[in-house]
Amino acid sequence: MTGIEIRGPRLLLRALRASEIDEELQAMVEADPMVVAGLPDESAFRARLGRSGRLVDGQLDLAIDLDGTSIGRIQTFLPPGRPLPPGTFDLGIGLREHARGQGHGREALALFTGWLFEHAGAQVVEGATDPANAPMRAVFQRAGWAFDGPVTEVGREWAMYRLTRENWLTSRNTGRTLY
């Protein structure tokens, strides 16, 4: 799948522009260690973001665009050393500091999750955050995700959240908005 764009009430999830790749790398370098597992290999990261907007082997990176400007990134990825069952996507999200606390994370999460269920055959979408990251834990909960317990990856403990297709369909069919 190529050229993926997902439009919401305020946000557009879209491919990163070539000019935004350096900004994304810098955001990773400057990120609070609480929100990133570690720094990626620069050349591999640049190559990955160069494929932005395309779902390739379960991996998809999209800019979170507000009024024509990227305020962060949302992606699916393959966790190191933990194969995912078919239909399972591991999700990550990062917003620039100035864009936090305004509902953008929850909207982006709901839009992206819905797209994965509707267009990518997702059965389960999961995401992890540092147990002390109360704002991200609140975003997961407000978007209808369930706490699944702790998981240890890349030498750290994370709080794992999940949303199943069944729970997503139930919330969708009851008209509950997730953002």
Side-chain angles (χ1 to χ4, degrees), residues 81-159:
R82 182 171 58 93
L84 296 174
T88 300
F89 289 87
D90 209 342
L91 181 143
I93 183 173
L95 287 178
R96 304 290 183 272
E97 180 115 11
H98 73 275
R100 295 180 188 155
Q102 301 170 51
H104 301 312
R106 186 173 50 208
E107 181 178 342
L109 182 71
L111 290 169
F112 195 48
T113 301
W115 186 90
L116 290 167
F117 284 120
E118 290 178 9
H119 301 284
Q123 297 301 309
V124 174
V125 182
E126 62 184 27
T129 190
D130 188 285
N133 189 346
M136 188 64 223
R137 293 183 75 151
V139 166
F140 280 131
Q141 292 166 356
R142 288 183 184 131
W145 293 47
F147 178 63
D148 193 51
V151 63
T152 301
E153 287 182 345
V154 290
R156 290 177 54 185
E157 184 174 294
W158 302 90

Side-chain angles (χ1 to χ4, degrees), residues 22-95:
D22 284 339
E23 185 179 344
E24 287 302 320
L25 181 60
Q26 192 61 36
M28 290 287 290
V29 169
E30 295 174 357
D32 183 329
M34 178 191 308
V35 298
V36 295
L39 293 178
D41 173 78
E42 184 176 339
S43 61
F45 187 70
R46 287 180 182 282
R48 180 188 165 116
L49 295 188
R51 295 186 300 272
S52 176
R54 294 181 281 171
L55 179 60
V56 178
D57 297 328
Q59 298 182 89
L60 172 62
D61 291 86
L62 297 171
I64 302 170
D65 184 302
L66 175 67
D67 299 327
T69 301
S70 175
I71 60 169
R73 182 170 56 95
I74 193 163
Q75 73 275 338
T76 57
F77 60 93
L78 303 174
R82 182 171 58 93
L84 296 174
T88 300
F89 289 87
D90 209 342
L91 181 143
I93 183 173
L95 287 178

Side-chain angles (χ1 to χ4, degrees), residues 110-122 142-145 163-179:
L111 290 169
F112 195 48
T113 301
W115 186 90
L116 290 167
F117 284 120
E118 290 178 9
H119 301 284
R142 288 183 184 131
W145 293 47
L163 183 63
T164 65
R165 174 178 282 281
E166 179 180 338
N167 289 345
W168 174 76
L169 284 170
T170 298
S171 65
R172 185 174 159 204
N173 291 337
T174 60
R176 180 174 169 238
T177 181
L178 298 178
Y179 47 83

